[in-house]
Amino acid sequence: MTAPSAAAETAARPGLGTRLLRNPLAAGSSLVLALVALAVVLAPWIAPFGPNEGDIADAHQSASGSHWLGTNAIGGDIYSNLLHAGRYSLTGAALTLAVASVLGITAGLLAGYFRGWFENAATAVIGLLLALPGMIVLLAARAAFGPSLWTSMTIVGILAAPAYFWVVHASVSAVRREPYIDAARVSGLSDPRIIRRHVLAAVRGPIFIQTAAVAGAAIGVQAGLEFIGLGDPNMVTWGTMLNDGFKDLYAHPMLMIWPSLMVSTVCVAFTLLGIGLRDTTEGAAAPRTRRRKRPTPSPTAARTADRDGALLSVRGLRIGYPQPDGTVTEVVRGVDLDIARGQVHGLVGESGSGKTQTAFAVLGVLPEPGHITGGSVLFDGTELADAHERTYAPLRGLRIAYVPQEPMSNLDPAFTIGYQLAEPLRRRMGMSRAQARTRALELLDRVGIADPEGTLRRYPHEISGGMAQRVLIAAAVACDPDLLIADEPTTALDVTVQAEVLDLLRDLRAERGMGVLLVTHNLGVVADLCDHVSVMRAGEIVESAPAARLFDAPQHAYTRELLAAVVDDEGPARPPLSTPNEPVPREAAE
């Protein structure tokens, strides 16, 4: 018997609801909470008596056919009171949860993703909330506004917001450095879209756990406040039932047992549900979204006069990183290069020479706090040096595309290949779901993937590195860009797949007339694919020439060292390269 294929396994993967039911913790706790919620919602119809309705002559009766759980000190039916009290207790907890989650999650997402002044301000406010004595604030609110359940639970929600903030902020700060987030930005997706579809998908597990913890805590805090007399005496809740039962604790202990049992059952169920949801949703398929019509962008934007007809013209580019002592370390100094339409321009040099930093400057995605300190980046007449994000929005993904190195880490593990290919097509090109899927199949077929249909349904961990690189190339050329920036596109591939990828890039360049900036340290790749070559060392271009002339007659000593260091069948041609005269930190330069 043969093992099922990866595509078949993916196609047979159960949905989120099915996997939720198969998880004992999630299914059991969901059932308990659903039964409690249903009972309290239907309380007006299934409760034999109203809240606190009773006859003093029936006080402290034991369980019977008329009163299933007995009666309290005023003859009220305990079973009916539990159901009616649950309506207010659960609604109060929901209010706390809504306030805490909206404030904490929103602030945590924005602070962790955008950083800067908002992160500083949000952190200061959250620190202030943590420093406030909650009980004093609640007592002051009660004195100012009276005994109100809704006011108290709103204040508790505000005080609980830091619990969400720190969890979300830490998770988002880690996720935003993942390569697939940069890949989503380069593909042209907006920041709100990336946050909603990629960042939230990665941090939802901690959010589920925190939501369960806050929901359980809200039930407990509310019951505690009303138990000590800070609640509304005219409103029956589980907390007020605890308060009433405590007065007759020794004579009639069951008056406290029943509300205590309800509070503890709901709190435990919320905790178990959070754990079950966290476990169930890890790796869940992308949720469906409603189709929205988007206007198809114009294939060309308004253009001004370019520089000598070049598609991309870089002049005097300088990139710096601020240091703790107030100085700025420049990792790229005075780079000049031009790329014409249909030309492959190779940018070569040893690791740490500033190649990737130059590419990131063109894309507008320099790592913080790096920034362009001088020079010009002119793309088809549009100046990009230190341009606002609004300038890049109509370019990235549509006219400037990016193929990163390390293909596996640039695909979001939470979404299928098909979703990650179709999303930019739908958002940037205005395609329908069916059109985007058809286009994705065409792209996968064009980049040489044998089973496009099956690949669309797979997740990144189900494909090889070579297939992942082809998928990224397909995504990059999906919108027919004018400029393709390929950053070490063959580094992680074996020799056979490397040759296939180079042939693919060559064919795509010929078909679409793209300009290509190829960032690499592999001179063999440069000789095979590039028309023009610029050699970088220590953040500077030391030589630039047509590929054939550079390989036949290199002018700069460093270029000759690079060529001499190429390994052939005889081994290295000479000792390793000498140390640059002006070294820069490799962490910053690359």
Side-chain angles (χ1 to χ4, degrees):
M1 179 179 294
T2 58
S5 65
E9 292 176 358
T10 304
R13 184 179 186 177
L16 176 59
T18 302
R19 287 183 284 123
L20 184 65
L21 293 176
R22 291 178 180 176
N23 185 298
L25 290 179
S29 56
S30 296
L31 179 61
V32 170
L33 290 173
L35 291 175
V36 172
L38 182 63
V40 301
V41 168
L42 298 179
W45 296 275
I46 65 176
F49 302 92
N52 282 329
E53 176 186 332
D55 188 344
I56 192 65
D58 295 329
H60 295 310
Q61 287 190 6
S62 301
S64 65
S66 300
H67 303 284
W68 294 354
L69 302 180
T71 61
N72 58 20
I74 63 172
D77 183 63
I78 295 176
Y79 169 70
S80 298
N81 285 348
L82 283 175
L83 296 182
H84 289 291
R87 305 185 73 189
Y88 295 109
S89 293
L90 293 183
T91 303
L95 176 61
T96 294
L97 193 63
V99 172
S101 60
V102 169
L103 295 179
I105 293 177
T106 302
L109 281 173
L110 297 179
Y113 187 82
F114 292 107
R115 310 294 292 271
W117 68 268
F118 185 85
E119 180 183 35
N120 296 332
T123 303
V125 172
I126 293 299
L128 178 62
L129 289 178
L130 287 173
L132 289 176
M135 185 57 68
I136 300 300
V137 173
L138 289 169
L139 288 173
R142 190 178 192 277
F145 304 108
S148 170
L149 169 67
W150 316 119
T151 301
S152 297
M153 299 315 292
T154 299
I155 293 173
V156 172
I158 294 173
L159 296 177
Y164 274 108
F165 176 84
W166 291 120
V167 169
V168 174
H169 178 267
S171 299
V172 174
S173 296
V175 169
R176 71 184 294 275
R177 293 191 290 266
E178 292 293 333
Y180 65 78
I181 298 297
D182 287 334
R185 291 183 62 200
V186 171
S187 70
L189 298 182
S190 63
D191 286 328
R193 179 71 180 174
I194 293 173
I195 291 173
R196 184 160 52 92
R197 302 298 298 152
H198 294 275
V199 176
L200 267 178
V203 303
R204 59 189 171 187
I207 289 177
F208 282 138
I209 290 292
Q210 196 62 44
T211 297
V214 171
I219 294 288
V221 169
Q222 180 194 28
L225 290 174
E226 291 159 346
F227 175 73
I228 62 177
L230 294 182
D232 187 345
N234 299 317
M235 187 178 292
V236 57
T237 66
W238 290 332
T240 57
M241 292 183 69
L242 285 171
N243 182 283
D244 292 339
F246 184 72
K247 300 172 183 177
D248 293 322
L249 175 62
Y250 296 107
H252 304 282
M254 294 304 295
L255 293 178
M256 283 200 70
I257 293 296
W258 295 117
S260 299
L261 183 61
M262 291 300 298
V263 171
S264 59
T265 298
V266 172
C267 290
V268 171
F270 270 123
T271 301
L272 295 181
L273 177 61
I275 297 173
L277 281 172
R278 189 273 317 271
D279 295 340
T280 301
T281 54
E282 289 300 324
R288 296 181 179 180
T289 56
R290 291 179 296 174
R291 180 183 305 175
R292 291 180 292 178
K293 294 293 184 180
R294 298 272 181 125
T296 303
S298 172
T300 57
R303 302 170 182 173
T304 59
D306 56 13
R307 187 180 287 142
D308 299 327
L311 175 64
L312 176 69
S313 181
V314 178
R315 289 290 181 273
L317 176 65
R318 309 180 75 87
I319 301 172
Y321 284 79
Q323 302 301 310
D325 60 1
T327 62
V328 175
T329 298
E330 287 195 331
V331 297
V332 172
R333 299 185 289 273
V335 165
D336 296 338
L337 60 86
D338 294 300
I339 301 177
R341 296 180 185 274
Q343 180 188 64
V344 179
H345 191 115
L347 189 59
V348 302
E350 62 185 340
S351 297
S353 59
K355 308 184 300 299
T356 297
Q357 292 290 300
T358 301
F360 283 172
V362 176
L363 290 164
V365 292
L366 282 169
E368 298 176 358
H371 60 281
I372 296 176
T373 59
S376 169
V377 179
L378 197 66
F379 172 73
D380 204 15
T382 301
E383 180 59 60
L384 300 181
D386 275 346
H388 192 274
E389 185 66 22
R390 287 192 299 267
T391 303
Y392 279 101
L395 299 178
R396 281 199 298 250
L398 285 176
R399 303 196 60 209
I400 304 177
Y402 178 60
V403 178
Q405 53 181 318
E406 300 179 5
M408 297 305 295
S409 60
N410 282 274
L411 292 171
D412 192 332
F415 296 92
T416 62
I417 299 300
Y419 178 83
Q420 296 186 62
L421 279 176
E423 184 185 23
L425 293 171
R426 295 181 60 205
R427 302 299 163 184
R428 302 308 306 277
M429 302 296 288
M431 294 184 180
S432 67
R433 191 185 301 274
Q435 290 172 331
R437 187 177 186 279
T438 300
R439 174 64 170 160
L441 287 171
E442 294 173 352
L443 290 167
L444 292 180
D445 180 67
R446 178 61 193 87
V447 297
I449 291 181
D451 182 19
E453 187 75 36
T455 303
L456 281 184
R457 296 192 297 268
R458 297 179 186 176
Y459 287 83
H461 70 273
E462 297 176 305
I463 63 176
S464 66
M467 289 182 67
Q469 191 64 279
R470 292 173 186 270
V471 167
L472 290 175
I473 293 174
V477 302
C479 299
D480 290 325
D482 297 317
L483 175 65
L484 178 67
I485 299 177
D487 186 5
E488 303 281 7
T490 60
T491 297
L493 308 178
D494 58 51
V495 176
T496 303
V497 178
Q498 181 181 108
E500 294 174 353
V501 169
L502 292 178
D503 288 339
L504 173 62
L505 288 175
R506 186 183 296 105
D507 293 343
L508 291 173
R509 184 272 303 264
E511 290 174 7
R512 302 166 186 265
M514 297 183 301
V516 179
L517 176 60
L518 179 65
V519 177
T520 183
H521 62 266
N522 190 327
L523 291 175
V525 172
V526 171
D528 188 27
L529 192 62
C530 295
D531 304 307
H532 199 94
V533 185
S534 294
V535 181
M536 284 196 75
R537 185 192 195 193
E540 299 178 351
I541 298 288
V542 296
E543 184 170 359
S544 185
R549 192 177 76 191
L550 183 134
F551 281 94
D552 290 340
Q555 301 299 307
H556 197 277
Y558 178 67
T559 307
R560 293 194 291 270
E561 286 188 67
L562 283 179
L563 295 174
V566 173
V567 178
D568 55 23
D569 294 337
E570 302 291 328
R574 59 170 296 155
L577 301 177
S578 58
T579 303
N581 293 328
E582 296 181 4
V584 297
R586 292 187 184 275
E587 296 82 6
E590 193 61 21

